[in-house]
Amino acid sequence: MTTIEQIDALEVLDSRGLPTIMVRVLLDDGSVGSAMIPSGASTGTHEALEKRDGDAERYGGKGVLTCVQSVKTEIHQMLKGKSPFQQAVIDELLITLDGTENKSRLGANAILGTSLAVARAGAASKKIELYEYLGGFERVYLPCPMFNVINGGAHADNGLDFQEFMIRPHAATSFSEALRWGCEVYQTLKKLLKKKGYAVNVGDEGGFAPDVASNEECLDLLVDAICQAGYQPGSDISLALDCAASEFFDAKKKLYIEKKKKAKGKSFQERTPEEQIAYLSSLLKAYPIDSIEDGLAEEDWPSWHKMTKELSSKVQIVGDDIFVTNPRFLERGIEEKSANAILIKLNQIGTLTETIDVVESARRAGFRTVISHRSGETEDPFIADFAVALRTGQLKTGAPCRSERTAKFNRLLLIEHLSEGSARFIDSNREALSSS
Ligand code: 2PG
Ligand code: MG
């Protein structure tokens, strides 16, 4: 029987230059698996805890040496001798060893790092690809990418309160074609921005971060870029938003306030939840948007229900901060009909098995699932394999720019290549919208 021989960890860097954990699992047959853990900026309140050292002498308190130590000692001792192929057992042991509701004792970063590295070691031992190890050997389904080409919110130092302006090349016939379309629009957008005198430096997720005046100006730019690149807005390439509205909701006043614009001394809007829904609805009428994530704040549950009632036949309503990949919140969302899709981030919940369970529960309830990166990423492409293995049909992993983002796209290109023409490209959102 193959067993875990050693679990090691070290502190490495994420794409923002902040420390994160790398876990390395060695099996007694000599196979090795490793994983690096990403980190969010606009995090949901109820996410599993990302543990930091808090030692102001190192990395401004953001070091992860405590997590490294826990992996090398407690976690190593508990998992040594166990089978790497029983992922659910490994994850349950990790959850029990931590003993807290939100993984705050050992840290979700230490736990998830171990969980993912064990899966990789298992795949290495079986000498198969990670997506095959996790998803089996049936036909490969490659997800529609959602390219975040204009960054705002907590990911860029501009006046945009909405966090992500994305394009979705849903009508492409293969993943590589979708990627090419996305890249062509991205490069065209760069030229357009330059022509208009905007800066073309990029934000945390590789999208441009121009100081444009409004959401509408961004959406106009995207439509122009799609046309000028030779595609049809809507029928070839649609638009998607992540408003990350928890970042600009004033819970006391119950108002959505364009805080960044306000802080920059620009004219800004304050909207009641009803006005925010009406505003989103007006954007849907004016632009070919087919997906809206976090259009409302995580604590504004009643308004989520209203928004879903009004808009869900026209658009994918994705819950990120409101569900935080947690079965408890997802269950409430299903019951209250708060959305029709869920964003899936492994580090919001903290183990591979729990994440797979959430995807399966969402599916059973008819929710679409979108696998997602974090704004602070690493070159680890785990989520590319994960999206293929779970056949989610949608993956959000930034712009086609910056190596921590392109690592995921390049991995999908390789998976497509390995499938020797048998891979199918799917967009679970379009499939759902066309059947509704
Ligand atoms: C989001 C994510 C990823 P962050 O809000 O969806 O784009 O951002 O990782 O900062 O939470
Ligand atoms: Mg989000």
Side-chain angles (χ1 to χ4, degrees):
M1 187 181 92
T2 307
T3 59
I4 294 171
E5 172 87 28
Q6 198 204 351
I7 308 194
D8 191 11
L10 65 152
E11 197 178 54
V12 294
L13 292 182
D14 74 12
S15 57
R16 282 193 272 252
L18 295 174
T20 187
I21 191 166
M22 177 197 271
V23 179
R24 204 165 174 273
V25 170
L26 172 70
L27 306 183
D28 64 357
D29 66 2
S31 312
V32 176
S34 67
M36 286 181 272
I37 299 307
S39 172
S42 62
T43 48
T45 316
H46 301 289
E47 293 193 16
L49 186 95
E50 173 187 89
K51 193 166 171 141
R52 301 277 180 187
D53 297 337
D55 170 3
E57 302 287 307
R58 296 188 71 255
Y59 288 116
K62 292 206 178 276
V64 291
L65 292 181
T66 329
C67 289
V68 165
Q69 203 49 28
S70 304
V71 171
K72 291 166 86 150
T73 56
E74 278 191 72
I75 292 181
H76 161 77
Q77 278 149 25
M78 187 191 57
L79 297 185
K80 185 174 161 54
K82 301 282 185 304
S83 165
F85 306 124
Q86 293 182 310
Q87 189 71 43
V89 173
I90 297 284
D91 289 343
E92 197 51 50
L93 284 169
L94 288 165
I95 292 165
T96 311
L97 182 69
D98 175 76
T100 67
E101 176 78 11
N102 63 347
K103 304 190 173 64
S104 54
R105 194 178 76 77
L106 297 168
N109 33 354
I111 293 173
L112 183 65
T114 307
S115 178
L116 302 187
V118 167
R120 274 236 172 80
S125 172
K126 301 264 185 211
K127 298 191 171 48
I128 56 176
E129 296 291 332
L130 181 62
Y131 65 93
E132 295 170 329
Y133 182 72
L134 298 175
F137 294 94
E138 284 154 41
R139 191 171 188 179
V140 166
Y141 288 89
L142 292 160
C144 181
M146 305 171 77
F147 298 107
N148 177 10
V149 292
I150 297 186
N151 295 185
H155 299 165
D157 187 21
N158 54 15
L160 286 169
D161 284 276
F162 282 9
Q163 184 179 278
E164 299 170 24
F165 294 82
M166 294 175 274
I167 52 170
R168 299 180 2 95
H170 60 85
T173 54
S174 65
F175 173 77
S176 43
E177 187 176 55
L179 183 61
R180 178 170 62 79
W181 291 11
C183 291
E184 289 167 3
V185 174
Y186 180 77
Q187 299 300 344
T188 308
L189 177 63
K190 185 174 186 174
K191 283 188 201 136
L192 270 176
L193 287 168
K194 266 192 177 160
K195 216 155 121 194
K196 293 195 172 225
Y198 287 122
V200 288
N201 33 15
V202 299
D204 283 358
E205 298 192 348
F208 302 111
D211 209 4
V212 290
S214 64
N215 299 325
E216 287 78 357
E217 190 182 349
C218 279
L219 294 165
D220 286 333
L221 278 159
L222 293 190
V223 167
D224 284 354
I226 292 170
C227 291
Q228 287 188 28
Y231 301 101
Q232 287 293 326
S235 52
D236 290 333
I237 304 180
S238 52
L239 307 182
L241 296 171
D242 179 3
C243 307
S246 307
E247 298 289 314
F248 55 90
F249 182 58
D250 185 322
K252 275 203 198 111
K253 294 186 184 156
K254 293 221 173 332
L255 284 175
Y256 290 87
I257 304 171
E258 293 183 326
K259 281 195 215 154
K260 286 179 78 183
K261 279 203 196 116
K262 189 175 175 185
K264 290 200 176 238
K266 295 183 175 175
S267 78
F268 66 98
Q269 298 288 322
E270 288 187 346
R271 299 185 180 98
T272 62
E274 286 70 26
E275 286 166 348
Q276 174 75 358
I277 297 171
Y279 175 58
L280 294 173
S281 176
S282 73
L283 292 179
L284 291 184
K285 287 196 185 99
Y287 299 97
I289 297 170
D290 65 5
S291 179
I292 300 179
E293 178 185 331
D294 285 4
L296 297 166
E298 60 183 13
E299 63 267 64
D300 196 6
W301 283 85
S303 308
W304 274 86
H305 172 72
K306 278 184 215 149
M307 172 170 69
T308 299
K309 202 166 166 202
E310 280 179 39
L311 308 179
S312 65
S313 62
K314 297 176 210 128
V315 71
Q316 170 169 263
I317 312 258
V318 190
D320 172 11
D321 289 358
I322 189 172
F323 298 142
V324 288
T325 317
N326 185 310
R328 209 153 48 89
F329 298 106
L330 172 63
E331 206 177 296
R332 179 170 171 194
I334 292 168
E335 233 172 74
E336 296 185 15
K337 297 194 171 59
S338 308
N340 60 20
I342 177 172
L343 199 78
I344 301 289
K345 292 167 168 166
L346 288 142
N347 78 331
Q348 283 184 327
I349 186 72
T351 63
L352 181 54
T353 306
E354 288 168 290
T355 313
I356 294 171
D357 288 349
V358 170
V359 169
E360 282 168 359
S361 308
R363 257 196 199 134
R364 276 196 298 276
F367 273 43
R368 287 151 243 179
T369 52
V370 182
I371 304 293
S372 172
H373 65 163
R374 300 305 308 238
S375 51
E377 263 294 332
T378 74
E379 61 273 30
D380 186 334
F382 194 98
I383 55 168
D385 287 70
F386 192 54
V388 171
L390 270 65
R391 301 178 184 88
T392 59
Q394 291 184 80
L395 174 70
K396 177 175 106 152
T397 189
C401 174
R402 295 181 56 133
S403 298
E404 77 280 5
R405 315 293 150 185
T406 55
K408 281 68 166 173
F409 299 128
N410 290 340
R411 175 68 187 158
L412 289 167
L413 287 174
L414 177 61
I415 296 175
E416 185 180 80
H417 178 79
L418 293 175
S419 81
E420 296 174 343
S422 71
R424 237 194 93 196
F425 174 70
I426 46 164
D427 175 14
S428 53
N429 183 28
R430 278 283 147 168
E431 282 181 5
L433 283 173
S434 59
S435 67
S436 76

